[in-house]
Amino acid sequence: MSTPLTCRAPATGTVQIDDDKVKVTRWDFDPGAETGWHRHGMSYVVTPVTDGTLLLELPGGQTMTAELKAGVSYARAFGTEHNVVNAGTAKLSFVEVELKAYAG
């Protein structure tokens, strides 16, 4: 007997600012929700709003987990490819700031 195909619920991205220098998006995830596979065209900074655990699905079928702590930011370079999934049992939120322009 085959297992039926299931899909994860989508995370909700709410754009707060989108100007010539930055794009700021708040991401809200129910347990098990995902962003969907994407590639970042800009370097970016993430600031978690809540604690939580992310499952990161990576190119080539690899996965890794990341523990988020509210208020503890991290940065990633443009070109990052992944699908981001809330691997916890509680809702999870973070704010992502994509850098369109650098000073100078």
Side-chain angles (χ1 to χ4, degrees):
M1 173 181 254
S2 64
T3 304
L5 179 63
T6 58
C7 296
R8 296 180 181 122
T12 301
T14 304
V15 176
Q16 298 177 334
I17 299 170
D18 191 357
D19 62 23
D20 60 332
K21 296 191 185 332
V22 298
K23 181 176 182 182
V24 179
T25 306
R26 178 181 168 128
W27 287 96
D28 294 294
F29 296 73
D30 285 332
E34 68 180 356
T35 58
W37 190 261
H38 60 282
R39 180 180 186 276
H40 288 268
M42 296 172 265
S43 294
Y44 63 101
V45 175
V46 170
T47 303
V49 175
T50 60
D51 292 348
T53 303
L54 295 179
L55 168 67
L56 302 170
E57 297 177 338
L58 305 170
Q62 297 173 321
T63 63
M64 64 179 283
T65 58
E67 294 298 323
L68 300 183
K69 296 294 179 195
V72 179
S73 302
Y74 62 89
R76 296 288 181 264
F78 75 92
T80 299
E81 290 184 68
H82 53 207
N83 181 30
V84 179
V85 182
N86 178 359
T89 58
K91 291 185 178 198
L92 179 148
S93 299
F94 59 78
V95 174
E96 176 183 82
V97 180
E98 296 175 286
L99 306 172
K100 295 182 179 180
Y102 293 95

